Every structure is written in C-alpha cells, then in structure tokens.
Amino acid sequence: MEEKRVTWAELYFDLVFVFAVTQVSGLLHHRHGWGELARAAVVFVPVYWCWVGTTVQANIRDVDNPRDRLGIFTVGLGGLFMALAVPGVDGARGVLFGAAYWGARLVLLGLIATGRGRVRRVWFGPYGVGALISGPLLLAGGLLDAQLMGGWARTAVWSVAALCDLSAPVLFRRLLAKVSYHPAHLPERFGLFLLIALGESIVGIGAPVAATHLGAAELVSVATAFVISCELWWLYFNYAADAMRHSLETAESQRDVIRRVFSYGHFVLIAGVIAVAVGFGETVAKPDDALAAGPLGLLYGGCALYLLAFSYTRWMMFRMVSPTRLVAAAAVLVLLPLMVRLPALGALVALAGVLGVLNLVEYHRVGRARRLDEAAIA
C-alpha cells in the first residue's frame, strides 16, 4: 500500500480545532470543581469525536479532490460553530452546539456512504451512530431548559450521547475490521492533534503574563513552564510516536490499535495536556502566590493523567508496562498535596524536575538497550 500523506485540507481543518481546544480549556478557567471537570469532558468528547471521524474517513478514502475538500471544510464549519457555542454551552448556545455537531456528523455520513466497496458499509457503524443517535441526542440536550435540575439534565443527555460515540467502535469492531487503513497517516494525524493541545499550553503560559508586570520572577516562571511543555513534547515525540506507528504497521488487528491507542488513548493524552495548560494559566502570572487546590490539581493531575495514559497505550500495543512513567506519575501525585503551601514557582520547578529526571532515565535506558542490540548483532 502506498504511504498516505496528510493533505493541506486536513491541516487547514485542524486550525478550527486550535480554536475549539482554546474554548474548551476556557471552561475550566476560574472554575475547577469536579462538576466543571465533568462538563468540560462531556463537551470535549463531541469536539474530539468530530475530528476523529474526519481523520478516519480521510484515512480510508482519497480526499485530495474538490468534493472531499469541500466536505472536510463543511465539517470544519460545524466544528467552528461548536467552538463558538462552548462559552455559552450551559445556556442558550447549547442548541447551536448540538445542531452543529449533528450537522457535521451528517456530512461525514454522506462522505462515507458515497464511498466505494467495503468503505460504503462503514456507515452502518460509528458514522451511523453519530448521525442517527448521538447527534440528535446532543440537539435534544441543547433544547432542554438550561436550568432544569441545575443544568445537570442537559449534561446527563449529552453524557449519554458521548457514551454512544465512544462505544460505537467497540460495538462495530467486526465491521471496522473489514476496512483497510493507511498505517502512516493516522499516527501523524493524532500526533498533530496532540501538538494542538501542546500549543494551548504555550497560550496558557504566555497569555496571562503578557498583560502583567514582567519581573524576574515572572520570567523564570515562564521559562520553567515552557520547560515542562517541552518535556511533555519529548515524552511523546521522542519515543512514543514511533512506537505507536510501529505497532499499527505490525499489528494483526489494526482496528484494535486504532480504537484503543489512537481514538481512546489520545483522548486521555490530550485531556491531560489541556488540564496542564489551564493550570499554567492559573499559575505562571503569580509566581509568588501559593496555589489553590484547583489550579494545582489541574497542573499536577493533568500531568499524572498524561503519564498514566502512556502506560495504558504501551500495554495495549505490546502487553508491556511502562515502569518509568508509572513511577513518575506516582511521584507527581505524591508531590501534589505537598505543593499546596509553596509558591507557584516552586510547584512549577518541582514538576519540571520530575519530568526532567524521567526524560533522562528514559534516554539512558533506550541508549543502553540500543547498544546491547548492536552488540548482539555484531
């Protein structure tokens, strides 16, 4: 199979989701309770799933043509409407959010259903669920009175819609096994979405500081947060990205790797980075202030979630644990309650230190394994 490359239309489509991720992270600024976290997750699922649906259909079809480009851009418009609705998603804009998602899913269903051969039958699977079940449920939730049950009625309906979307690849796994996938394209696409989330961490670092006094403490805080962002990038792109591509290329069941590692695993990875980005936004501009539990939980909890997600993906790919990342996640969680009374800069330095040690340990472990392999071949 000829290697499939990401098209310019897909990259342009991603720009919509740069804005969408910013809007979703905005839901957590200044509101850090468990209820707000749950609502942000429920809102993020359809945003993410809209992107996943477009990415998969671009993988199994040739989309570098005017018809499919227009289809991708139309889905992008739906994503833009969803992003615009996010700040008021608990109120009147809930209708716009649900209608935009349903419209995007109908477009994706049309693109898939008009395909050729086995691809055409995929519409009975998750694309049909999105267009015929979760999309209408999101619109129905948006039409509910925003004050009904304190707003939880809408969240409950949207949670059911999210579960329908997330469970569809499992329910239709046999059907999806009949589809041929391009193994080089999907790792690149999901890596690009993770870059979008990491870009949000840069916004979280810079935006709050840009309009404030820039003293030495603030500059050190910015530099430390940027180091953390770089360390998160290194953990994925220096080792994990190649392993994920290798797993997809060599797997007996590509369908299972796509579902477990990419669709589900990357949802957790990206959610962790978004939480860290929000934590930066609440931390960097006030390096001398002690952190409240909410921002500290987002910063450290998001980092721990990111590290734990790697252990999940490694087990799903190779049935192997990732001891270094499990230990680092445990260290982050142990440090979390100890950081409550420290200045924000101290919390940033401690987190950067844990991630720095983890990267150094993994660098030496990989280097030693490579030397042993070379010696065995020689």
Side-chain angles (χ1 to χ4, degrees):
M1 183 184 295
E2 183 180 351
E3 183 170 304
K4 187 180 183 72
R5 300 185 64 85
V6 176
T7 65
W8 292 112
E10 292 174 89
L11 293 173
Y12 182 73
F13 169 80
D14 285 352
L15 297 179
V16 171
F17 291 85
V18 173
F19 178 51
V21 166
T22 297
Q23 295 290 79
V24 172
S25 68
L27 291 176
L28 295 175
H29 283 296
H30 311 301
R31 295 184 298 173
H32 312 120
W34 289 109
E36 285 76 22
L37 285 171
R39 282 177 172 152
V42 167
V43 169
F44 183 55
V45 169
V47 171
Y48 175 73
W49 217 243
C50 186
W51 182 91
V52 170
T54 308
T55 294
V56 172
Q57 78 90 21
N59 180 269
I60 61 180
R61 289 175 54 92
D62 176 16
V63 298
D64 205 11
N65 59 77
R67 173 187 172 279
D68 283 281
R69 288 174 189 156
L70 289 173
I72 289 172
F73 292 161
T74 304
V75 176
L77 179 61
L80 181 59
F81 285 156
M82 291 172 69
L84 289 171
V86 166
V89 78
D90 291 335
R93 292 190 185 182
V95 176
L96 175 61
F97 187 83
Y101 179 73
W102 191 11
R105 298 305 304 193
L106 287 171
V107 172
L108 284 172
L109 176 60
L111 291 172
I112 288 290
T114 55
R116 297 178 180 177
R118 289 179 175 175
V119 171
R120 175 178 287 179
R121 284 175 283 171
V122 175
W123 77 269
F124 289 104
Y127 286 87
V129 170
L132 304 177
I133 300 177
S134 58
L137 279 173
L138 277 172
L139 179 58
L143 289 168
L144 288 175
D145 185 345
Q147 303 304 318
L148 184 63
M149 296 174 57
W152 284 104
R154 176 178 294 178
T155 301
V157 173
W158 283 1
S159 297
V160 173
L163 288 173
C164 288
D165 275 338
L166 293 172
S167 62
V170 177
L171 296 175
F172 294 96
R173 59 187 180 277
R174 291 185 179 179
L175 180 64
L176 295 174
K178 300 176 182 178
V179 179
S180 297
Y181 300 93
H182 291 267
H185 176 262
L186 284 174
E188 185 176 2
R189 292 296 292 131
F190 280 87
L192 286 168
F193 202 115
L194 187 67
L195 278 178
I196 290 173
L198 286 169
E200 181 63 20
S201 75
I202 302 301
V203 175
I205 294 168
V209 181
T212 64
H213 169 72
L214 280 178
E218 286 76 17
L219 291 175
V220 173
S221 181
V222 166
T224 306
F226 182 68
V227 167
I228 293 171
S229 182
C230 291
E231 289 167 335
L232 296 176
W233 178 95
W234 203 279
L235 287 168
Y236 182 93
F237 290 98
N238 198 48
Y239 304 117
D242 289 340
M244 290 173 182
R245 175 169 175 167
H246 173 75
S247 174
L248 188 56
E249 290 174 340
T250 58
E252 292 183 7
S253 173
Q254 289 184 329
R255 164 206 65 194
D256 291 337
V257 174
I258 291 168
R259 182 180 77 250
R260 298 167 181 170
V261 175
F262 291 99
S263 295
Y264 298 155
H266 279 70
F267 176 82
V268 181
L269 287 166
I270 292 162
V273 174
I274 291 175
V276 172
V278 178
F280 283 157
E282 302 286 324
T283 303
V284 176
K286 300 176 181 179
D288 297 324
D289 292 356
L291 282 177
L296 185 61
L298 287 167
L299 186 62
Y300 274 64
C303 184
L305 185 65
Y306 184 75
L307 295 172
L308 290 170
F310 284 116
S311 296
Y312 161 79
T313 57
R314 186 171 177 81
W315 180 259
M316 289 299 165
M317 291 187 295
F318 308 118
R319 289 297 184 265
M320 297 172 62
V321 297
S322 179
T324 55
R325 301 191 181 199
L326 282 175
V327 170
V332 169
L333 292 175
V334 168
L335 283 174
L336 196 160
L338 304 178
M339 297 293 113
V340 173
R341 298 187 181 278
L342 288 182
L345 181 56
L348 290 171
V349 170
L351 185 58
V354 171
L355 295 176
V357 170
L358 171 60
N359 274 298
L360 284 172
V361 169
E362 293 200 341
Y363 173 79
H364 287 294
R365 280 170 56 92
V366 171
R368 184 170 63 251
R370 192 170 296 157
R371 288 191 296 272
L372 290 173
D373 288 342
E374 291 173 353
I377 294 173

